Amino acid sequence: MGTEAIEAVFLETRNWGKAAKFFQALGYEMEMSAGDGSGVFRNGEGPYLVVVEIPEDREPGVQIALKVPDADAFRADPAIDVVTPFQDTHYGTREMTVRDPDGRLWSLQAPTKS
């Protein structure tokens, strides 16, 4: 079993307020704001957009999370470099980190066990 789709895009920003206004101007609706410079946006049925404010001295990054329907049924092909196996997250998913051939890290996300 492989991945199904892009589940979410995680973006770091140096200015939460400006970033929130930018994505809302592009048609994204804020589904949740944590009140700490982070929030979740969505545009229709597309992937979630998770935006988190970081300190000025850090370079903003981006990470794409691919959807896996069942972490227990997922079998990593030997061609996949598993950095961390599936683990439960504090935000209600199970997440695995893999590295592509060019060294980029990818997140695979699955629902938690019921």
Side-chain angles (χ1 to χ4, degrees), residues 2 15 34 60 72 109:
N15 188 312
D72 293 332
Q109 285 192 350

Side-chain angles (χ1 to χ4, degrees), residues 53-81:
E53 188 172 84
I54 59 169
E56 284 289 327
D57 62 343
R58 282 190 40 205
E59 189 65 32
V62 62
Q63 183 161 2
I64 298 172
L66 302 175
K67 182 178 182 179
V68 175
D70 183 351
D72 293 332
F74 183 81
R75 299 290 175 252
D77 184 284
I80 297 174
D81 178 10

